[in-house]
């Protein structure tokens, strides 16, 4: 465990600022995440951030077009820290890449985690096309913590099954 902790710390150089170059990624990189910022109450968050259940989360995602494709889909998921499986995710948001006439564009994805169980959730961010991963960030350094709100909370599920999170997307080109 200590070796893994040291690996994670060294990989992040002791910083809480998210650097995509240091995260575990995969995909063919036809489209590439250049920058991802998490925002809570319009404040930029660090790579490990916390929210109360009634707070909205937004992600500002800069994407670079490396190879021309027509369509792709974007999804954000939350993984179980116990099993590493995706247990909550946004729906797939379709992107009409052919209509974008810039090399780099910005997507803003808004999540409403109002009924999630309190706990830590490593984030999973995927852009794909026709069941092919284009760019995937799947790294334990990028983690969301849902804070407990009180004893009268109502939660969505018990953390053992997949659930969808309400979300919407805005593309700025």
């Amino acid at each position: 465990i200590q070796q893994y902790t040291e690996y994670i710390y060294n990989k992040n150089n002791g910083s809480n600022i998210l650097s995509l170059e240091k995260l575990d990624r995969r995909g063919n990189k036809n489209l590439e995440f250049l920058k991802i910022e998490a925002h809570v109450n319009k404040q930029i968050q660090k790579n490990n951030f916390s929210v109360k259940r009634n707070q909205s989360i937004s992600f500002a995602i800069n994407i670079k077009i490396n190879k021309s494709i027509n369509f792709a889909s974007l999804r954000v998921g939350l993984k179980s820290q116990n099993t590493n499986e995706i247990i909550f995710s946004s729906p797939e948001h379709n992107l009409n890449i052919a209509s974008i006439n810039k090399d780099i564009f910005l997507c803003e994805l808004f999540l409403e985690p109002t009924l999630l169980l309190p706990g830590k959730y490593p984030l999973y961010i995927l852009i794909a096309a026709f069941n092919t991963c284009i760019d995937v960030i799947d790294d334990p350094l990028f983690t969301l913590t849902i804070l407990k709100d009180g004893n009268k909370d109502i939660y969505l599920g018990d953390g053992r099954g997949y659930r969808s999170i309400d979300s919407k997307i805005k593309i700025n080109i």
Side-chain angles (χ1 to χ4, degrees), residues 25-59:
R25 297 168 74 168
R26 61 184 181 276
N28 64 24
K29 301 292 188 290
N30 288 344
L31 302 176
E32 183 177 0
F33 298 125
L34 290 182
K35 182 178 176 185
I36 299 176
E37 292 179 349
H39 298 255
V40 176
N41 294 333
K42 299 184 180 182
Q43 299 291 316
I44 295 176
Q45 302 299 301
K46 298 183 180 188
N47 61 331
N48 290 308
F49 63 100
S50 301
V51 296
K52 293 181 180 175
R53 290 185 23 210
N54 60 352
Q55 292 178 306
S56 296
I57 304 166
S58 65
F59 294 94

Side-chain angles (χ1 to χ4, degrees), residues 31-37 58-64 69 71-77 89-97 100 105-111 124-130 132-137 142 162 165 167-172:
L31 302 176
E32 183 177 0
F33 298 125
L34 290 182
K35 182 178 176 185
I36 299 176
E37 292 179 349
S58 65
F59 294 94
I61 304 170
N62 286 306
I63 299 172
K64 181 179 180 186
I69 62 173
F71 295 96
S73 62
L74 178 67
R75 173 179 280 192
V76 173
S89 80
S90 71
E92 287 186 358
H93 293 282
N94 294 318
L95 308 173
N96 183 353
I97 304 300
I100 298 172
F105 65 99
L106 172 68
C107 285
E108 293 178 274
L109 185 69
F110 304 90
L111 297 179
Y124 175 88
I125 302 175
L126 163 77
I127 192 162
F130 304 108
T132 300
C133 292
I134 296 175
D135 199 359
V136 180
I137 294 177
F142 198 22
Y162 173 82
I165 303 171
S167 67
K168 60 184 176 179
I169 193 165
K170 176 182 172 187
I171 300 174
N172 300 317

